[in-house]
Amino acid sequence: MQITVVGKSLSFPRMCACCAGPADSTQSLMAGQKIGNRRHMSTWKVPYCSACVAHVTYVSLRTYEYIFLLLSLGFYLITFFLIVRPLRVRSAKKHLLKPSCVGCDLPEYSYRVANDGTHTFDFKNPDFAKVFVSVNQAALRNPSPEVQKLLGS
Ligand SMILES: [Zn+2]
Ligand SMILES: [Zn+2]
């Protein structure tokens, strides 16, 4: 669910953004924004549980793959996204994901920051999204009907 907020301090529930279980770890979400000629980076630490961090790490690029990437002048990314990652996602779904997990998408793929200073998150877990909107009500911008429904219930 897409949630747009403003502000530099947001509260994150102590709950895993993937499975909604108790969080004991975090994942960094990062995105850049260009204001004039300067680039500003925004980073958030989103709560995760260690089991979910394990499946996120499993489908991500590994250290040795960064070397492939350099050696192939970036072409390895094509192989990675077309072949390597889908295979890892399949095996992660079989062995690493819990029934309560929302999936293998990396959290950072679904975060955007816009020039008007708004941050848009896309939290797939409905329980996490619900707690997040209720603790950050004051920061919400243009809540979608979906988000309004969460606040109302
Ligand atoms: Zn989790
Ligand atoms: Zn998970």
Side-chain angles (χ1 to χ4, degrees):
M1 175 174 313
Q2 297 212 347
I3 302 167
T4 302
V5 290
V6 287
K8 295 222 177 303
S9 58
L10 296 172
S11 313
F12 287 94
R14 289 179 63 86
M15 147 189 232
C16 175
C18 178
C19 70
D24 56 7
S25 186
T26 56
Q27 283 284 294
S28 296
L29 301 194
M30 222 189 299
Q33 171 191 17
K34 233 178 139 173
I35 301 172
N37 284 325
R38 297 196 25 213
R39 247 183 116 67
H40 296 261
M41 291 305 284
S42 300
T43 314
W44 301 99
K45 294 234 176 280
V46 175
Y48 257 71
C49 73
S50 33
C52 291
V53 169
H55 74 64
V56 167
T57 314
Y58 184 78
V59 301
S60 307
L61 274 173
R62 298 179 187 171
T63 318
Y64 65 84
E65 287 174 317
Y66 283 103
I67 301 167
F68 293 174
L69 207 61
L70 283 177
L71 292 177
S72 68
L73 306 173
F75 282 106
Y76 178 71
L77 264 195
I78 301 171
T79 318
F80 178 76
F81 280 103
L82 288 182
I83 302 162
V84 181
R85 193 170 184 275
L87 284 175
R88 280 186 200 156
V89 166
R90 206 157 79 190
S91 132
K93 281 190 173 149
K94 237 189 217 159
H95 306 289
L96 297 172
L97 265 68
K98 298 181 275 185
S100 52
C101 282
V102 286
C104 270
D105 288 341
L106 303 189
E108 74 225 36
Y109 290 179
S110 54
Y111 167 58
R112 294 194 310 277
V113 28
N115 281 336
D116 60 358
T118 58
H119 305 265
T120 301
F121 298 92
D122 188 2
F123 293 124
K124 302 268 191 303
N125 189 298
D127 295 328
F128 183 90
K130 190 173 172 168
V131 181
F132 181 82
V133 297
S134 67
V135 296
N136 293 291
Q137 277 189 47
L140 291 176
R141 279 299 171 273
N142 311 317
S144 64
E146 265 181 306
V147 171
Q148 282 170 349
K149 218 169 125 193
L150 280 187
L151 283 170
S153 58

